[in-house]
Amino acid sequence: MAAAQGQRSDGAGEMDGSEGNVADAAPPPFRAAVEALREARLRPEIEIEPTRPPQRLAPYAYALEAAVVDGEEDLADGRLVLLHDPAGHDAWKGQFRFVTLVRAELEPEMAADPLLPEVCWTWLTGALRSRGLSVGEASGTVTRAGSYYFGGLSERPPASQIEIRASWTPREGGAGVPDTAAHLGAWCELLCQVAGLPPAGPTGDGSVVSLPQRRGPLSP
């Protein structure tokens, strides 16, 4: 990602309440990891802002919501959560964990492709590898759903949606802090590919197939 063309991941303006502030009492590794997320430079197509994190998954959490925007149209959206447990977590095999949801609407013929789930998963793993990121205990699901409209809604065309849910443990670097900015960049690359944009990561050359851009904004 070209930092000079991107935007900071904390968005514009002040952050307040539980959607932006990290308590001074939080462990230094967590504060450093969050600060790296806030300072990350992202692709200009990404609009991102902090949001209320989950309260019960870990002692400390920070969350971001993002959308890939073309004009006034959202091509894809998602949520990325950074969890931290200073005591470590047996299932994570580490002190940090990323949890994510990414979704976009598809053309019906693309949604019918039997290889689509595998392709979507490789976009995530490939984006992480392209940044030299080592992860552990990665897991997730790729779900396709179709909607058909009847009665008063019968004029709407059928709609198909892809949803990716995933989590992984980032390897910790110096002072026990993972490279959260690089992980955020990889996640945004996944978001852009699901939206139908060509990859623009460090090794992206535009040759990787992305989903065609969908027809309209995501339903709430």
Side-chain angles (χ1 to χ4, degrees), residues 66-140:
V68 181
V69 178
D70 180 16
E72 296 183 356
E73 181 182 2
D74 289 357
L75 302 178
D77 62 23
R79 191 169 191 248
L80 183 68
V81 180
L82 176 66
L83 305 175
H84 178 55
D85 187 340
H89 194 291
D90 291 341
W92 304 351
K93 293 184 169 52
Q95 296 183 358
F96 287 89
R97 186 78 172 173
F98 277 108
V99 181
T100 186
L101 164 67
V102 170
R103 60 181 186 170
E105 287 191 6
L106 309 173
E107 295 291 344
E109 57 271 19
M110 176 60 69
D113 186 339
L115 297 179
L116 180 64
E118 288 81 1
V119 169
C120 290
W121 184 252
T122 60
W123 285 341
L124 172 60
T125 58
L128 292 167
R129 283 197 306 269
S130 74
R131 287 160 176 77
L133 296 171
S134 176
V135 304
E137 306 305 311
S139 61

Side-chain angles (χ1 to χ4, degrees), residues 16-84:
D16 54 59
S18 61
E19 294 186 1
N21 291 334
V22 176
D24 292 339
F30 179 68
R31 295 204 306 269
V34 170
E35 185 62 24
L37 290 175
R38 290 173 172 171
E39 294 293 331
R41 296 283 175 171
L42 309 176
R43 290 177 61 163
E45 302 93 341
I46 297 285
E47 291 189 357
I48 193 165
E49 61 183 4
T51 188
R52 182 179 296 275
Q55 302 297 307
R56 300 179 181 178
L57 297 182
Y60 303 94
Y62 183 79
L64 294 166
E65 286 186 343
V68 181
V69 178
D70 180 16
E72 296 183 356
E73 181 182 2
D74 289 357
L75 302 178
D77 62 23
R79 191 169 191 248
L80 183 68
V81 180
L82 176 66
L83 305 175
H84 178 55

